[in-house]
Amino acid sequence: MNPFPLLLADLKRHRLSLGAVVLLIAVAVALGVAVSASARALRQGSTDAADAFDLIIGAPGSQTQLILTSVFLQPAALPLIDGRLMTELAEDPGVATVAPIGFGDFRLGYPIVGTDAAFAGRWGKLPVADGRMFQRRDEVVVGAGIAWPLGTQFHPSHGLHHAIEDDDDAAAHQHQDLTYTVVGRLAAQGTPWDRAILAPIESVWWVHGLADGHPAGAPDTRLGAPWDPESLSGVPALVVKPRSIADAYRLRDRYRRNGTMALFPAEVLIGLYATLGDARDLIAVIALGTQILVVAAVLLAVLATLATRRRQLAVLRALGASRRFLFGLIWLQVESLVLAGGLTGLALGWVAATAVARIFTARTGIALPVEIGAPEALLVGGLVAAGALLAIVPAWSAYRTPVSTALRG
Amino acid sequence: MSFAPFLHVEQLRISHRLPAGDRFIALTLDRLDLAAGDHLALTGPSGSGKSSLLAALAGLDRPARGRIVWGDTDLTALSERARDRWRRDRVGLVFQEFHLFDRLDVLGNVLLPARLGGIGAAALKPRALELIDRVGLTRPRQPVERLSRGEMQRVAVARALLRSPGILLADEPTASLDAANAAAIGSLLIEVAQELGSTLVIGTHDPRLRERLGREIRLDAGKVAA
């Protein structure tokens, strides 16, 4: 038995309406797939972005804000902590390394982030793709997402919306005269830091007229540790790499009091994901409901057309088709629509999630690894299985078509 | 009877269920015998029971009473599945309205019975092409929806002949054709039945077709008219 030529002939005959049905199913499926894949990609992308940040210490306040500002570089004025904590932490045997993060300046919308050369290179994990790391306080490296040529020079401006080559007013914001030179570009890491200008923390302090962590008269090439405790200014955040998990918990406990706040970004993110997950679940339920409605509509449409096809089915019986053949023919027809809609929807959903991810990455710098995984496969598989069950209804109706009356009728 | 009849019908009563649930008797027939290769015309006004008898002879309907025996097969004793298979292998059916399948070409329509099981389409393709030629068509790949009505019925005849059936049943095969085509299709059915040695039963209004068939049973209001 081979019902496929008949199946194809029917598909061809009704290709417009059946195409619309497939599209309808596909859009409903795509909605569910896109939500599911995007939510997971967002989670994965933000977790990856926080990867290098084992432990963050900042001034007491909103944990979420500290993460958003230090890990995701969302601009906000954070209260400062005493810079001398850096030397204290550096001497702690449980600390592998510690780096400052300082903010406040922008150039053409890109934040200038002050840190040390070691953390700018993510403690050895992130190579300089082009040029070299900064070695003087008037040198910067840029993230992979900033296309400026090496050698570009600029003055830092304070705040997002100040043009630098402005008149005296703007000049008043430039507390100290400093001209940065871009000397290197980092490899891409898929985080907001790809869109940041990384400068020595000393220069950020100095621009603001603060002590720069080194004794007066130190040369411009003297950057990073060892610091002069008496010359350290305040910083909004410190990134700490503990030597062991036990050290991590000990350090977090110790710096959770006495005017500081310590947190594991991964832990805070999990809390955020729970909120995100609720929203995703809600949308997923809506998407599932849409799919059920669409499949029900398809079923009704098939049952309606079946009434007009009773004679065709009767002719097949007259030519010798068994009841089973008609059952299989109609079942295959409905299921092939659902299957085609499901697979098209999977593809559409992936395309949509990828497009959303691209826009999101363009806005935030966070790379979203959109993948079609088990949850999406399960979604489509569930739909196809439900279609297989529901297709029994019209198939059974075809099975019961009375032949001779339908031939005459 | 001096011969063992190929078709033997006795004490037949066919009834149909009305939508309201009542049954009415569409046909009663005390006895009918045909030899292999016989040609029979079933005539009578609409609603006289021609189609009901043809459907029962094709094994599409199980009669309320009586026996229909084709050769050594007692149709009334077979299950619906067995009748489907028997019909597929032994019976060629031609309808008034052709009942071809759009979007399949001529060859696809002629090969359609082979899709329903039994001998595969690949094995029957040479036979199908031969039949298409035999019924006077030249383009096996032409879509059937572009054919004239006369050509469509030729395709239907070729489809009915695919498995070289010993039984050819036709219900008003010429009624929706113009006179020239009606004559041609009538001749074609008689010729191919003779070539195959098939038993041919045609329900028809067409007096010219009736005259060309050897025997006639005239039905009226579900009974054989005198």
Side-chain angles (χ1 to χ4, degrees):
Chain A
M1 279 191 273
N2 179 6
F4 290 102
L6 274 174
L7 198 68
L8 278 177
D10 257 343
L11 294 181
K12 270 193 237 166
R13 181 165 35 215
H14 303 295
R15 59 187 175 281
L16 278 183
S17 54
L18 295 183
V21 163
V22 168
L23 201 65
L24 206 63
I25 299 175
V27 169
V29 170
L31 185 66
V33 166
V35 167
S36 166
S38 299
R40 201 174 57 248
L42 184 58
R43 197 172 162 147
Q44 185 64 49
S46 52
T47 305
D48 290 349
D51 198 35
F53 299 80
D54 290 336
L55 177 68
I56 295 180
I57 298 174
S62 159
Q63 297 198 346
T64 307
Q65 191 58 59
L66 181 59
I67 304 273
L68 285 177
T69 307
S70 57
V71 177
F72 298 104
L73 300 182
Q74 297 295 306
L78 289 179
L80 304 183
I81 52 171
D82 191 335
R84 281 173 293 189
L85 278 176
M86 259 202 294
T87 50
E88 186 184 311
L89 279 161
E91 283 160 14
D92 190 302
V95 172
T97 178
V98 53
I101 300 178
F103 311 97
D105 296 341
F106 287 85
R107 165 69 182 167
L108 298 180
Y110 296 114
I112 297 171
V113 182
T115 186
D116 63 14
F119 187 69
R122 286 291 182 273
W123 294 318
K125 282 190 192 155
L126 184 67
V128 179
D130 192 9
R132 59 173 173 80
M133 183 51 71
F134 55 71
Q135 286 163 359
R136 292 163 50 92
R137 70 176 60 191
D138 58 354
E139 292 178 346
V140 296
V141 293
V142 294
I146 301 178
W148 303 342
L150 300 190
T152 301
Q153 294 194 327
F154 64 95
H155 299 281
S157 63
H158 199 57
L160 259 174
H161 304 291
H162 289 278
I164 6 146
E165 273 86 36
D166 216 326
D167 52 18
D168 301 340
D169 262 359
H173 290 284
Q174 295 169 16
H175 308 278
Q176 300 270 355
D177 192 26
L178 180 73
T179 303
Y180 280 130
T181 304
V182 178
V183 297
R185 189 179 347 270
L186 295 164
Q189 49 180 337
T191 76
W193 289 66
D194 281 345
R195 299 151 57 82
I197 301 156
L198 305 190
I201 185 77
E202 287 87 349
S203 67
V204 173
W205 280 322
W206 191 73
V207 163
H208 292 83
L210 301 168
D212 65 3
H214 300 290
D220 279 355
T221 50
R222 171 113 183 243
L223 298 178
W227 304 100
D228 172 23
E230 298 315 309
S231 312
L232 277 168
S233 298
V235 285
L238 293 176
V239 191
V240 179
K241 189 180 178 61
R243 285 196 193 280
S244 70
I245 291 170
D247 290 324
Y249 279 93
R250 179 177 57 76
L251 289 165
R252 185 182 64 158
D253 286 346
R254 190 210 268 177
Y255 290 97
R256 267 211 288 222
R257 39 186 168 260
N258 301 328
T260 57
M261 172 171 75
L263 49 87
F264 300 138
E267 203 175 66
V268 176
L269 285 175
I270 284 169
L272 287 176
Y273 297 151
T275 313
L276 189 71
D278 290 346
R280 182 201 54 197
D281 290 349
L282 181 69
I283 301 173
V285 166
I286 293 170
L288 193 68
T290 314
Q291 281 177 33
I292 290 170
L293 282 178
V294 163
V295 170
V298 169
L299 202 66
L300 277 179
V302 169
L303 281 172
T305 61
L306 210 58
T308 68
R309 289 179 54 194
R310 275 182 33 177
R311 181 167 323 179
Q312 188 202 46
L313 296 174
V315 171
L316 285 174
R317 284 295 300 285
L319 295 179
S322 61
R323 286 167 174 255
R324 285 190 200 184
F325 183 89
L326 299 195
F327 181 94
L329 180 68
I330 299 300
W331 185 88
L332 267 177
Q333 238 165 46
V334 176
E335 182 62 351
S336 63
L337 292 183
V338 175
L339 188 67
L343 293 179
T344 311
L346 196 63
L348 272 182
W350 181 80
V351 168
T354 307
V356 168
R358 217 167 267 164
I359 294 168
F360 185 83
T361 305
R363 293 217 179 132
T364 64
I366 301 174
L368 297 189
V370 174
E371 278 174 358
I372 297 301
E376 294 74 32
L378 202 66
L379 187 88
V380 175
L383 179 79
V384 171
L389 281 179
L390 288 172
I392 290 175
V393 176
W396 179 248
S397 165
Y399 183 90
R400 289 170 48 96
T401 301
V403 186
S404 58
T405 48
L407 268 180
R408 257 171 280 146
Chain B
M1 279 300 156
S2 59
F3 59 93
F6 178 55
L7 169 65
H8 174 68
V9 176
E10 63 178 31
Q11 299 303 322
L12 188 69
R13 179 195 284 178
I14 301 169
S15 64
H16 294 309
R17 194 186 294 274
L18 293 171
D22 304 331
R23 302 193 76 96
F24 79 101
I25 296 170
L27 181 78
T28 53
L29 181 64
D30 286 344
R31 188 177 178 103
L32 169 65
D33 288 300
L34 284 179
D38 272 2
H39 296 180
L40 171 68
L42 292 175
T43 61
S46 294
S48 61
K50 300 192 302 284
S51 292
S52 294
L53 180 55
L54 282 166
L57 291 178
L60 289 167
D61 282 334
R62 189 198 289 271
R65 214 187 64 191
R67 296 210 309 151
I68 299 173
V69 183
W70 282 103
D72 50 8
T73 305
D74 183 354
L75 275 192
T76 41
L78 292 182
S79 68
E80 183 153 8
R81 256 187 93 186
R83 275 186 279 134
D84 286 338
R85 199 172 303 146
W86 170 82
R87 181 167 60 248
R88 186 190 74 197
D89 295 338
R90 305 284 176 83
V91 182
L93 272 172
V94 178
F95 311 93
Q96 177 176 348
E97 289 300 331
F98 329 135
H99 293 320
L100 300 181
F101 285 72
D102 286 359
R103 308 286 164 169
L104 283 177
D105 56 19
V106 170
L107 180 61
N109 269 279
V110 174
L111 277 175
L112 192 62
R115 310 288 186 197
L116 307 177
I119 308 165
L124 285 174
K125 194 174 168 187
R127 163 89 179 139
L129 290 169
E130 192 187 301
L131 282 171
I132 290 165
D133 184 53
R134 172 65 189 84
V135 299
L137 297 172
T138 50
R139 296 168 60 196
R141 287 297 175 189
Q142 196 173 17
V144 288
E145 58 269 31
R146 299 214 195 116
L147 297 176
S148 71
R149 296 180 68 79
E151 288 171 321
M152 286 185 183
Q153 196 60 304
R154 288 169 195 274
V155 175
V157 171
R159 178 178 66 185
L161 296 174
L162 183 69
R163 291 186 202 258
S164 310
I167 304 162
L168 267 177
L169 304 175
D171 194 357
E172 298 286 5
T174 61
S176 45
L177 301 174
D178 59 55
N181 271 311
I185 291 292
S187 301
L188 180 63
L189 278 169
I190 292 167
E191 284 165 30
V192 294
Q194 277 165 353
E195 286 164 23
L196 284 171
S198 306
T199 302
L200 174 67
V201 181
I202 301 181
T204 184
H205 276 107
D206 184 344
R208 280 187 297 171
L209 179 54
R210 192 180 65 206
E211 280 162 19
R212 300 183 60 186
L213 298 163
R215 238 176 109 180
E216 176 183 346
I217 292 182
R218 195 174 141 70
L219 299 173
D220 191 16
K223 293 190 172 64
V224 178

